[in-house]
Amino acid sequence: DAKTTQPPSMDCAEGRAANLPCNHSTISGNEYVYWYRQIHSQGPQYIIHGLKNNETNEMASLIITEDRKSSTLILPHATLRDTAVYYCIAGQTGANNLFFGTGTRLTVIP
Amino acid sequence: KAGVTQTPRYLIKTRGQQVTLSCSPISGHRSVSWYQQTPGQGLQFLFEYFSETQRNKGNFPGRFSGRQFSNSRSEMNVSTLELGDSALYLCASSSGLEGFRTDTQYFGPGTRLTVL
């Protein structure tokens, strides 16, 4: 699986959009980009995933560059409950041996 | 639909003992994966079971083993516990169908194991 690179930490003001970047320059053609988050000491929570088209669900939007070497997770209106570690993972759909990396610790500030 | 459940939630053992952790996947899911999370190493993949067979394995010693039952419930066992085995053990379930676009892993709350 391709490795991903994320900034170790970010802050975001409550109510503003949180844009979390991820680099995955070695991603292969059949690998999806997955985003999970983990709130302290809980199990990771699935957010969204995509292959090459932008995706949106009730939690977030995922923007993938045309060359697929990077992506951005967007939380449109961050709340205090969005404070968590966010993991960007490149993996094949159905491959359940995900490599989580160190993620980005997002802190939403009141 | 009920989520992934793990039992017990907390466990304290001493070095040299063995431990068995249990995971019940989401109904209809056939794949169960196990992960270990420690402050130093982060979240690491242990192994995956699909239809009662180990399908993938991470880089952990043979003291870590698992199995899956016909109802997809899974157990993992750690023998001869070491202090370094203290961790949050997470299980995740999915349909397990490779190439299935919407297949994703859903995690349980974890079992916090402390080895003294």
Side-chain angles (χ1 to χ4, degrees):
Chain A
D1 290 348
K3 293 288 172 63
T4 61
T5 305
Q6 300 177 252
S9 64
M10 292 181 63
D11 292 339
C12 177
E14 188 178 17
R16 304 297 294 269
N19 297 287
L20 292 90
C22 178
N23 286 321
H24 32 79
S25 58
T26 62
I27 195 169
S28 62
N30 62 350
E31 286 183 316
Y32 283 69
V33 179
Y34 290 86
W35 283 85
Y36 283 80
R37 72 181 183 185
Q38 187 175 27
I39 297 168
H40 182 63
S41 292
Q42 298 180 20
Q45 177 189 23
Y46 165 79
I47 302 173
I48 198 167
H49 75 290
L51 184 63
K52 50 186 174 183
N53 297 322
N54 298 337
E55 302 284 348
T56 296
N57 63 19
E58 65 279 2
M59 288 183 68
S61 294
L62 173 61
I63 309 297
I64 303 173
T65 58
E66 194 168 339
D67 62 8
R68 299 206 333 117
K69 292 185 177 181
S70 66
S71 61
T72 302
L73 178 75
I74 301 171
L75 307 178
H77 306 287
T79 70
L80 299 180
R81 286 179 293 181
D82 292 323
T83 292
V85 177
Y86 287 76
Y87 296 97
C88 167
I89 302 159
Q92 296 177 16
T93 184
N96 295 317
N97 53 341
L98 300 179
F99 178 79
F100 271 77
T102 54
T104 296
R105 182 172 298 278
L106 175 69
T107 302
V108 179
I109 302 168
Chain B
K1 208 182 231 187
V4 178
T5 58
Q6 292 186 246
T7 56
R9 293 294 312 279
Y10 301 91
L11 205 49
I12 299 175
K13 292 286 188 178
T14 56
R15 280 180 298 175
Q17 286 187 310
Q18 74 160 14
V19 67
T20 299
L21 312 181
S22 181
C23 173
S24 292
I26 292 171
S27 177
H29 283 185
R30 294 164 62 189
S31 167
V32 173
S33 294
W34 288 90
Y35 293 81
Q36 180 197 64
Q37 187 171 31
T38 60
Q41 299 298 320
L43 241 162
Q44 294 184 288
F45 171 75
L46 279 156
F47 32 64
E48 180 210 4
Y49 285 85
F50 178 78
S51 291
E52 301 178 66
T53 301
Q54 188 179 87
R55 185 162 69 171
N56 285 298
K57 188 177 188 303
N59 189 26
F60 278 82
R63 299 186 297 108
F64 293 82
S65 63
R67 59 177 175 167
Q68 187 179 34
F69 302 96
S70 58
N71 61 358
S72 294
R73 190 177 69 85
S74 176
E75 291 181 344
M76 68 162 283
N77 185 77
V78 188
S79 63
T80 319
L81 284 166
E82 300 176 0
L83 295 179
D85 297 333
S86 293
L88 180 67
Y89 289 88
L90 293 155
C91 96
S93 79
S94 73
S95 72
L97 301 174
E98 292 180 356
F100 191 52
R101 188 198 177 279
T102 61
D103 192 36
T104 56
Q105 283 191 287
Y106 296 91
F107 284 79
T111 293
R112 172 79 58 188
L113 172 65
T114 302
V115 182
L116 303 175

